[in-house]
Amino acid sequence: MLAEKYAQEIQTILAKYPTDQRRSAVMALIYLAQRDKMFVDRKDMAEIGEILGISATEVASIVGFYSLYYDQPGGRYRLQVCTDLPCALRGAEQFLQELCHRLNIQPGGTTSDGLITVEPVMCLAACDKAPMFQVQSGAGLEYFENQTVESALSLVNQLRADAARRRGRNDND
Amino acid sequence: MTEKPYEYLLLRHRQIPELDNLEIYRQNGGFEAFEKAVKTMQPAQVTEFVKASGLRGRGGAGFPTGLKWAFIDNNNWPHYVTANADESEPGTFKDREIMERNPYQFLEGVALCAYAIQAHHAYIYLRGEFWQIAARLDQHIAALHAAGLLGEKLFGSDYSLQIHTHLGAGAYICGEETAMLESMEGKLGQPRLRPPFPPSFGLYGKPTVVNNVETLTNVPLIIAHGPEWYRTIGTEKSPGPKIFCLSGRVVRPGNYELPLGTTFRELIYEHGGGILEGRPIKAIMAAGASSSLIIANDQALDTPMDYENVPSVGGSLGSASVIVLDDTVSIPWLINKTIHFFKHESCGKCTPCREGTYWMQHLTERVAYGHASQQDVALLYDVASQMRGKCLCALGEFSIEAVISGIDRFRPDFDQTVQAPPVT
């Protein structure tokens, strides 16, 4: 349950808004629900609705509207390459194709270990530093700019190593 | 004798290291303007200063900032300030640099705007991708509270102010001010029917100023140095410095802070180092993906980049996101790119934009990959033309600018890609 797990954080979020406007916290609460598994399920939506006094359907419509929320599981890390006009003028489309080829997936696909989804996204406000991508995980978002396929692949290896280490730690628990 | 180096006013971190440290910012005059305003100026005087400076909104519309503040309805309380940090226009990446490297000047601008309209809560709406920036801003806001520059009874006055960050989650439409307000209220980010405008009916239905990050970052300069000084920079109708985002087929893409009225030629060839591989320049998009395509001839290159002159060469300044295209770029490919963006980002609320971008995408795909006939080009032009003046918000209409100007001004590119019509 989110309300117990993130009690303190939920209070901090709600305190930003007038007491009769709790609904404003919906976006932040969806991020919280996404933190562990990188998607939001029906139960989360119902609980967020309960905390804010809106219906689960209204929460679901917000999840569906915004592109950084997911209602289906994907890779633990989403490597999102900007291929919009300014980046495309500096080789971003070839970069995406080559990176996917090296990872043996199609754009939008997830690596066989289920860890990394590579997908094209719309402009990320880094047009002067293409090729670039962001990595979205439950913990947040990080930008990687002026990339080469090699630098991106070494990041992928690092993410895999981090995940393996975390798995090892959980096994010891 | 060497020329005096340009003294940055907005991108000051380029000359002052660690300006994102509050101590350093204060050592360089930071928060003196806010203190001066709260201690010695009436709120309306702050608005008068901004009005007199001629500052115009840097988010794209170029609306006079002081006038917007003066529209705030004083018979309806509380008032709110919302900073638009949704920066999502393809080709725009200036607000990010400000918030990452010179965040306190921006926050001081937010505080001055709040004082001017007597708002006690200000929100910064950041696009969801600016997650790390939001986390840093939260730390900066905490530092301001610790230093007594935000919070209750500031500088011994009765004035109190809180600033909060609010993260979006990936939606271009939330850069439209009423869609942004809807999103902040926890609803779908879809534009409202206007009027009423935010100064009378904004966040939670209360009078609200919505200003772009760069606009607000100008305000401490105006309060500190006065409107007359501010007007010595830029042109008469477009005063002040501007950050030009240069991208596309240039040698040195990046942000360039220059006075409004600098020519395209100076930006592209002197600052940007010219076109990649020394190729010929073909076209300029001056306002990101929302731009019409300006034919890059000598007349265009010598045009001053300000709100009043760019329209004379068939464009608009917008947020000054200058995307440069060389002779390797096919215009049908380009409009297919921009239409995919607008189709993806259409919020779906109004029919002309929702349906128009859908049908345009089908047509631009055909046109871009050589599967189209002349009739398809004509149909594309027709669909785009029919959208003009009919969308609920400006963003829907932005989608047609490159299509219409592309077909009008670069017809040979289309003739080359379309198939000959079938012989009957």
Side-chain angles (χ1 to χ4, degrees), chain A residues 79-144:
Chain A
L79 199 154
Q80 300 168 323
V81 182
C82 174
T83 56
D84 242 320
L85 178 62
C87 283
L89 291 169
R90 304 186 78 85
E93 289 176 320
Q94 295 88 318
F95 170 83
L96 172 69
Q97 291 303 332
E98 172 73 9
L99 179 61
C100 287
H101 177 72
R102 298 278 295 271
L103 290 170
N104 211 10
I105 54 175
Q106 292 293 318
T110 302
T111 51
S112 53
D113 55 6
L115 209 58
I116 293 167
T117 301
V118 180
E119 54 195 353
V121 292
M122 297 298 160
C123 186
L124 296 175
C127 319
D128 56 334
K129 300 188 179 71
M132 64 80 58
F133 55 82
Q134 66 182 1
V135 175
Q136 186 186 8
S137 69
L141 276 150
E142 203 177 337
Y143 274 39
F144 296 87

Side-chain angles (χ1 to χ4, degrees), chain B residues 326-346:
Chain B
D326 66 4
D327 66 338
T328 64
V329 180
S330 141
I331 303 303
W333 170 85
L334 179 142
I335 63 170
N336 184 42
K337 213 66 200 140
T338 60
I339 288 301
H340 268 78
F341 174 79
F342 287 107
K343 157 72 175 64
H344 183 269
E345 298 299 336
S346 175

Side-chain angles (χ1 to χ4, degrees), chain A residues 139-151:
Chain A
L141 276 150
E142 203 177 337
Y143 274 39
F144 296 87
E145 302 175 314
N146 295 317
Q147 291 289 298
T148 61
V149 172
E150 296 310 320
S151 66

Side-chain angles (χ1 to χ4, degrees), chain B residues 117-367:
Chain B
I117 66 158
Q118 291 292 292
H120 299 297
H121 289 273
Y123 293 93
I124 302 167
Y125 186 100
L126 298 109
R127 60 179 297 176
E129 291 82 355
F130 289 173
W131 180 293
Q132 288 176 307
I133 300 175
R136 291 282 289 143
L137 283 178
D138 283 340
Q139 293 170 0
H140 298 318
I141 290 167
L144 289 172
H145 276 278
L149 298 166
L150 282 180
E152 303 297 316
K153 299 197 181 305
L154 294 167
F155 311 112
S157 74
D158 280 335
Y159 183 66
S160 306
L161 176 63
Q162 309 277 341
I163 301 178
H164 315 278
T165 56
H166 181 109
L167 264 187
Y172 171 69
I173 187 63
C174 292
E176 197 284 334
E177 59 181 10
T178 60
M180 186 188 95
L181 296 172
E182 288 287 299
S183 178
M184 283 197 58
E185 292 181 3
K187 301 171 189 160
L188 299 187
Q190 294 182 319
R192 296 174 181 168
L193 187 65
R194 300 180 301 171
F197 293 92
S200 51
F201 189 93
L203 183 64
Y204 309 130
K206 297 297 176 187
T208 302
V209 164
V210 184
N211 275 153
N212 167 262
V213 170
E214 185 187 354
T215 310
L216 291 164
T217 305
N218 274 270
V219 175
L221 302 168
I222 295 165
I223 304 305
H225 307 295
E228 297 77 21
W229 167 85
Y230 189 79
R231 279 190 166 278
T232 62
I233 308 157
T235 71
E236 195 199 330
K237 287 181 179 159
S238 304
K242 179 83 190 81
I243 302 172
F244 294 90
C245 307
L246 183 63
S247 69
R249 306 280 302 161
V250 288
V251 176
R252 288 190 296 271
N255 284 321
Y256 294 93
E257 178 185 324
L258 300 163
L260 280 162
T262 304
T263 63
F264 283 109
R265 192 187 299 279
E266 183 182 331
L267 173 69
I268 295 167
Y269 287 92
E270 274 181 44
H271 303 287
I275 309 302
L276 285 169
E277 299 158 17
R279 300 196 71 96
I281 186 169
K282 178 172 180 173
I284 299 168
M285 300 178 86
S290 300
S291 307
S292 55
L293 290 154
I294 299 172
I295 302 169
N297 53 23
D298 281 338
Q299 187 206 344
L301 287 170
D302 290 323
T303 300
M305 296 182 290
D306 52 36
Y307 298 103
E308 61 272 27
N309 279 303
V310 179
S312 71
V313 286
S316 66
L317 186 65
S319 54
S321 311
V322 180
I323 306 175
V324 177
L325 312 165
D326 66 4
D327 66 338
T328 64
V329 180
S330 141
I331 303 303
W333 170 85
L334 179 142
I335 63 170
N336 184 42
K337 213 66 200 140
T338 60
I339 288 301
H340 268 78
F341 174 79
F342 287 107
K343 157 72 175 64
H344 183 269
E345 298 299 336
S346 175
C347 81
K349 183 165 180 172
C350 78
T351 311
C353 173
R354 185 184 63 242
E355 295 297 313
T357 53
Y358 172 85
W359 287 106
M360 285 198 292
Q361 176 171 292
H362 282 281
L363 290 162
T364 57
E365 272 177 10
R366 271 196 246 166
V367 172

Side-chain angles (χ1 to χ4, degrees), chain B residues 20-41:
Chain B
D20 61 343
N21 173 323
L22 182 56
E23 277 313 301
I24 308 278
Y25 181 65
R26 293 187 81 179
Q27 282 163 21
N28 287 279
F31 278 88
E32 284 172 13
F34 184 49
E35 183 169 357
K36 169 176 135 182
V38 174
K39 280 184 168 168
T40 69
M41 293 170 81

